[in-house]
Amino acid sequence: MKKPILTLIFALMTAFAHAQVQTLPLWEGTPPLQTSMDLQEEVRQEGIIRIANVQIPTIEVYLPAKQIATGQAVVIFPGGGYGILAYDWEGTDFAKWLNSQGIAGIVVKYRLPLSKSLTDPKEVPLLDAQRAIRLVRQNAAAWNIDPAKVGVMGFSAGGHLASTLSTQYNHEVERPKDAVDALSARPDFSILAYPVISFRDAAVHSGSRKNLVGENASQDLIDRFSGELNVNAETPPTFLVHAQDDKGVPIENSLLYYTALHKNGVKASLHIYPSGGHGFAFGLGKGSVETWRDVLLAWMKEL
């Protein structure tokens, strides 16, 4: 019995070791809604890699070996309150883990609305998110990905971006178009970890709202970026995970989104753990929340 298990472990380790990684810019030349100001991206290593003032948005693509590839891909949006990106903690670490499960992981280094180089900051994260999923579909054949199995994963404010993409994938702004824009930006599924969903006062994460739409946003703008108000029957199937003791982003965010999904007949799976706090990522050392990734994998196999 031990020999087959050891053989499987060795095969997975070998496949992981040969995973392919590449980085591609989202846009050719100066990205839309951005001036060509000579600003510098900021990268700090403070236990985790924190990136701010992104000027050249990219996707970092992690591909599993073909022997174990499932055809699924997950486009990952790290959190950070729309002020920074927790790039490894909620990004590349998860891409590598997904690779070990035969799933492509694509980490998006999206532009943040605080950058002074942006001409319409509130629109830019969604624009980058749409572009990221379209680029994955454009390269699906080369990357051994099924273009009908491309989902999104977002953490905290990255969860807000993933839910905004899931409900506003057809939203357009005035800009030049190219062939990539002909592809669908609708995710096939959505994974939201302790997500910011609502910009309304009862559940709002004030930092994310302030950074994206400002302190004095109109009610129309607040409602537009409150995901629970924008769900419809075409919103993708969604997996939500949250901790009851989250002091940063209240669990009401996940509850509101789940309720909206249920009312619209969208398949959804909601998992609330009693403890874990905010930003638990893998959940290691935080009790039962450690098992959330196993539950997620089972859900993804059912899609």
Side-chain angles (χ1 to χ4, degrees):
M1 185 65 183
K2 288 184 178 179
K3 187 174 181 180
I5 294 175
L6 290 172
T7 301
L8 176 60
I9 292 173
F10 179 76
L12 288 172
M13 290 177 64
T14 301
F16 182 68
H18 289 87
Q20 306 167 61
V21 182
Q22 55 183 303
T23 301
L24 300 174
L26 286 183
W27 309 94
E28 292 185 13
T30 303
L33 304 186
Q34 181 173 324
T35 63
S36 56
M37 292 172 65
D38 188 23
L39 299 180
Q40 296 297 313
E41 179 177 291
E42 301 168 12
V43 181
R44 303 193 308 273
Q45 176 76 58
E46 299 173 346
I48 64 175
I49 297 173
R50 301 172 187 268
I51 300 178
N53 204 32
V54 174
Q55 298 300 301
I56 303 176
T58 62
I59 51 174
E60 190 168 342
V61 183
Y62 291 75
L63 301 177
K66 288 187 177 181
Q67 297 93 317
I68 63 168
T70 66
Q72 286 181 315
V74 177
V75 179
I76 306 169
F77 303 106
Y82 285 118
I84 61 103
L85 302 178
Y87 194 71
D88 53 352
W89 182 251
E90 295 171 344
T92 55
D93 287 351
F94 275 87
K96 294 169 187 176
W97 169 71
L98 287 166
N99 271 192
S100 72
Q101 309 301 320
I103 302 165
I106 296 96
V107 185
V108 186
K109 187 171 71 173
Y110 55 94
R111 289 172 291 166
L112 298 161
L114 296 182
S115 175
K116 294 180 180 178
S117 64
L118 304 181
T119 59
D120 193 351
K122 71 182 185 303
E123 300 293 349
V124 167
L126 176 58
L127 187 61
D128 285 353
Q130 292 170 322
R131 184 70 171 190
I133 201 164
R134 286 174 172 140
L135 279 178
V136 173
R137 289 202 166 105
Q138 183 191 46
N139 290 281
W143 294 346
N144 199 30
I145 290 169
D146 184 338
K149 295 182 179 180
V150 180
V152 291
M153 178 185 232
F155 300 81
S156 192
H160 182 268
L161 180 53
S163 65
T164 303
L165 177 62
S166 296
T167 54
Q168 300 185 45
Y169 47 86
N170 282 331
H171 180 76
E172 294 190 7
V173 296
E174 188 70 27
R175 63 179 178 86
K177 300 288 183 67
D178 60 21
V180 179
D181 291 302
L183 299 171
S184 173
R186 180 186 179 274
D188 294 302
F189 57 91
S190 183
I191 303 161
L192 308 180
Y194 39 89
V196 176
I197 294 292
S198 184
F199 276 4
R200 292 186 157 194
D201 289 338
V204 68
H205 179 254
S206 57
S208 295
R209 183 174 75 180
K210 177 182 176 182
N211 287 341
L212 186 63
V213 298
E215 289 185 295
N216 301 308
S218 68
Q219 191 61 50
D220 285 346
L221 204 54
I222 288 171
D223 289 350
R224 181 193 154 197
F225 285 105
S226 292
E228 78 277 15
L229 303 179
N230 297 290
V231 171
N232 61 36
E234 299 303 314
T235 302
T238 302
F239 180 99
L240 295 127
V241 61
H242 221 123
Q244 190 174 0
D245 65 348
D246 191 328
K247 304 301 183 186
V249 177
I251 60 169
E252 281 76 13
N253 284 271
S254 286
L255 297 175
L256 286 166
Y257 199 67
Y258 176 82
T259 300
L261 292 165
H262 179 64
K263 284 183 177 179
N264 283 274
V266 178
K267 290 184 178 180
S269 185
L270 171 64
H271 303 272
I272 303 291
Y273 291 85
S275 61
H278 187 67
F280 54 74
F282 282 91
L284 300 179
K286 294 185 177 292
S288 59
V289 75
E290 282 191 0
T291 65
W292 80 270
R293 288 170 296 136
D294 297 326
V295 181
L296 170 62
L297 288 175
W299 179 80
M300 291 181 69
K301 289 178 181 177
E302 291 180 357
L303 287 171

